[in-house]
Amino acid sequence: DPSFTFQMLGLSSVQDSAAEAISKHSNYADYYISTLLNDQTTADNAAAAQATTILTVHINAIHKLWEGFIDCTMVQKGYNPEEDQTGKIDPKRKYDEFVALYVGAGQVLGPTWEGYLLYALAQAASKKFDTVDENGESLVNKEIRGLYEWVQRIMSEED
């Protein structure tokens, strides 16, 4: 899985090969969450639950992006999603599912920017690192929103 390998490479040293990175770091999330769950404090258990949710949503969102990319390559090669009775190849739906996982339910735009999941986490982090735009939106959220809108425009074109 390319997204998993990419994450493992991000945790490794520059000189590590992909195989070395995976062997060294493939259980990083399991180790972190298990450690928190085994510590019986309420705060650590809550942190473990939140970490599990974040990691699960993040990885699923990344998979949706990757699947959308693969589907786009199929369409570019001449595959017609409208003729597919199985619905397996549908780049528009995959990108919509990514955004649904990224934004989550109940997201409120400025001025409060309250919400859940990855969008809200990026909002909170951007406040700590002063990486917000003039309206208070996280720069990374603004960029992801802009890229999603760009993908929507491209997919609404005939070719």
Side-chain angles (χ1 to χ4, degrees):
D1 178 355
S3 57
F4 180 76
T5 302
F6 182 75
Q7 284 206 317
M8 295 303 100
L9 288 171
L11 293 169
S12 67
S13 300
V14 173
Q15 65 270 15
D16 289 346
S17 69
E20 290 171 320
I22 290 170
S23 71
K24 286 180 181 178
H25 303 291
S26 63
N27 68 345
Y28 79 101
D30 293 339
Y31 175 78
Y32 172 73
I33 292 168
S34 296
T35 301
L36 289 175
L37 284 173
N38 289 328
D39 187 343
Q40 297 302 310
T41 68
T42 303
D44 285 344
N45 285 336
Q50 185 179 27
T52 302
T53 302
I54 292 166
L55 287 169
T56 301
V57 170
H58 171 257
I59 291 299
N60 279 310
I62 295 301
H63 280 288
K64 292 298 176 187
L65 276 178
W66 181 248
E67 290 170 0
F69 172 75
I70 296 298
D71 286 2
C72 282
T73 61
M74 296 295 291
V75 169
Q76 198 171 36
K77 291 178 182 179
Y79 184 85
N80 185 350
E82 282 84 30
E83 294 176 6
D84 179 14
Q85 298 299 313
T86 66
K88 290 182 180 178
I89 297 179
D90 187 350
K92 291 179 183 179
R93 185 186 50 143
K94 303 264 176 61
Y95 286 121
D96 286 346
E97 289 172 352
F98 161 76
V99 167
L101 287 168
Y102 188 81
V103 173
Q107 183 63 51
V108 177
L109 297 180
T112 63
W113 303 102
E114 295 175 9
Y116 306 98
L117 293 182
L118 303 175
Y119 187 98
L121 290 170
Q123 263 320 115
S126 69
K127 289 177 187 173
K128 291 180 183 178
F129 295 103
D130 195 30
T131 54
V132 295
D133 68 8
E134 63 281 353
N135 297 317
E137 184 176 18
S138 163
L139 295 178
V140 71
N141 285 339
K142 183 177 181 176
E143 183 71 17
I144 288 173
R145 185 174 42 80
L147 288 170
Y148 176 69
E149 290 167 357
W150 175 72
V151 166
Q152 282 183 315
R153 280 192 302 276
I154 288 173
M155 290 194 185
S156 66
E157 296 173 0
E158 287 298 315
D159 293 329

